């Protein structure tokens, strides 16, 4: 039986999709010909926010800005560890201005913010496991974040960074392929990674929940977990069953509109590690 030693109240940052549309395509999921119901997107986003609050967590809200429709994917704006922030430097110009909005937010918290020199997309390609091997950052590259950003993040944050190459363009960010389930373990889809990265993950996390391609393509791995409760896309029924078998509590939410932009639960939620 799983013992929930690492279940703690967490703090998150979200940004409502009041201006969410799909008017350009910068990932394989974006179809400019598919209409977006912005009102429904806001309703689904609010359901996610309320779920996190109901589970006992704090959710800060970053006000959306006109002209930045992808700002709802708040995880991409930065990556923080112990009150130190490695800022995003977006690959595509359509999202570049989001970084400044995130910087202003973190500066209001009084956290140390570092402006990135290397292209990276925040928690889209970085995650942190404080109880894994003394504290590890896992970092993806191959589509959005440059591998040079991994070395830069290690210098800024003072934590060892494990570089993992992504190989499936449908799974263009690390947070679509892998997420922590608690402070020491992960769920991931091996097929999203290079053969070498698969070997590294298998060695580091022998007790991981191994997901299927279907789990990944229903954005099941784009999840948020507090160590016990795993908030994930309601379409990912197979992964939910696997998580339940592993001793976690799946908490499904509906985010069909936001999936049209290529994201789900985790994309909408940045963890604030102060």
């Amino acid at each position: 039986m799983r013992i929930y030693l690492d279940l703690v109240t967490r703090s998150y940052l979200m940004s409502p999709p009041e201006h969410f549309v799909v008017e350009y395509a910068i990932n394989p999921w974006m179809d400019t010909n598919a209409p977006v119901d912005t009102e429904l997107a806001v309703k689904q986003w609010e359901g996610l926010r309320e779920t996190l609050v109901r589970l006992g967590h704090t959710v800060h809200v970053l006000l959306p800005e006109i002209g930045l429709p992808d700002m709802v994917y708040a995880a991409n704006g930065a990556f923080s560890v112990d009150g130190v922030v490695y800022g995003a430097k977006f690959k595509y110009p359509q999202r570049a201005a989001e970084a400044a909005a995130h910087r202003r937010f973190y500066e209001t918290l009084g956290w140390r913010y570092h402006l990135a020199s290397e292209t990276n997309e925040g928690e889209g390609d970085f995650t942190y496991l404080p109880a894994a091997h003394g504290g590890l950052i896992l970092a993806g590259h191959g589509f959005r974040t440059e591998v040079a950003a991994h070395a830069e993040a290690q210098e800024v944050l003072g934590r060892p960074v494990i570089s993992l190459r992504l190989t499936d363009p449908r799974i263009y960010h690390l947070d679509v392929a892998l997420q922590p389930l608690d402070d020491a373990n992960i769920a991931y889809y091996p097929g999203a990674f290079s053969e070498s990265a698969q070997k590294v993950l298998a060695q580091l996390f022998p007790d991981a929940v191994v997901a299927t391609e279907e789990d990944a393509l229903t954005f099941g791995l784009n999840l948020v977990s507090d160590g016990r409760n795993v908030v994930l896309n309601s379409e990912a029924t197979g992964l939910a069953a696997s998580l339940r078998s592993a001793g976690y509590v799946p908490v499904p939410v509906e985010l069909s509109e936001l999936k049209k932009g290529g994201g789900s639960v985790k994309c909408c939620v940045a963890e604030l590690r102060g």
Side-chain angles (χ1 to χ4, degrees):
M1 179 179 293
R2 182 174 158 69
I3 300 173
Y4 303 108
L5 297 177
D6 45 16
L7 178 60
V8 296
T9 298
R10 299 175 189 249
S11 294
Y12 300 116
L13 178 66
M14 298 179 65
S15 184
E18 294 175 7
H19 309 300
F20 177 63
V21 291
V22 178
E23 55 188 12
Y24 49 78
I26 58 174
N27 69 59
W29 300 92
M30 301 177 84
D31 180 356
T32 56
N33 296 313
V36 170
D37 185 335
T38 303
E39 183 178 350
L40 178 57
V42 171
K43 182 179 179 180
Q44 291 177 346
W45 178 92
E46 185 61 30
L48 172 58
R49 188 195 68 81
E50 290 175 353
T51 296
L52 294 171
V53 171
R54 176 173 55 79
L55 292 172
H57 306 300
T58 300
V59 177
H60 299 261
V61 175
L62 181 64
L63 295 179
E65 298 184 13
I66 296 173
L68 297 176
D70 283 345
M71 199 166 165
V72 62
Y73 302 121
N76 301 151
F79 174 58
S80 62
V81 176
D82 292 341
V84 180
V85 185
Y86 180 54
K89 182 179 179 183
F90 286 90
K91 177 176 181 177
Y92 292 103
Q94 293 93 330
R95 299 196 65 185
E98 294 177 39
H102 283 265
R103 179 176 185 173
R104 290 191 294 270
F105 170 79
Y106 286 102
E107 288 177 343
T108 65
L109 297 181
W111 292 10
R112 285 191 291 143
Y113 183 95
H114 291 261
L115 188 65
S117 299
E118 305 293 343
T119 300
N120 81 90
E121 298 199 347
E123 284 196 332
D125 278 319
F126 289 97
T127 194
Y128 181 53
L129 291 100
H133 307 279
L136 283 182
I137 294 171
L138 302 181
H141 68 97
F143 298 104
R144 295 293 192 88
T145 293
E146 297 296 330
V147 70
H150 298 179
E152 186 175 47
Q154 181 169 274
E155 289 301 310
V156 168
L157 300 169
R159 299 290 190 281
V161 175
I162 303 297
S163 293
L164 304 166
R165 184 164 67 89
L166 297 163
T167 58
D168 187 332
R170 300 170 300 175
I171 305 173
Y172 59 95
H173 270 155
L174 182 71
D175 68 4
V176 186
L178 176 156
Q179 276 301 308
L181 295 175
D182 52 46
D183 288 345
N185 202 17
I186 63 171
Y188 75 106
Y189 167 51
F193 298 94
S194 67
E195 290 186 11
S196 294
Q198 291 179 41
K199 292 177 181 177
V200 169
L201 288 169
Q203 180 178 338
L204 291 175
F205 302 100
D207 299 321
V209 173
V210 177
T212 66
E213 180 180 37
E214 181 181 4
D215 294 332
L217 297 182
T218 54
F219 282 80
L221 289 164
N222 196 240
L223 59 83
V224 170
S225 177
D226 61 15
R228 178 183 184 184
N229 304 290
V230 183
V231 184
L232 77 167
N233 194 307
S234 58
E235 295 179 43
T237 54
L239 181 59
S242 297
L243 292 168
R244 192 176 295 109
S245 296
Y248 298 92
V249 180
V251 182
V253 294
E254 173 62 48
L255 285 179
S256 57
E257 287 306 297
L258 292 170
K259 186 179 176 183
K260 293 176 180 178
S264 189
V265 176
K266 176 56 192 174
C267 287
C268 295
V269 181
E271 185 165 353
L272 305 176
R273 303 177 188 86

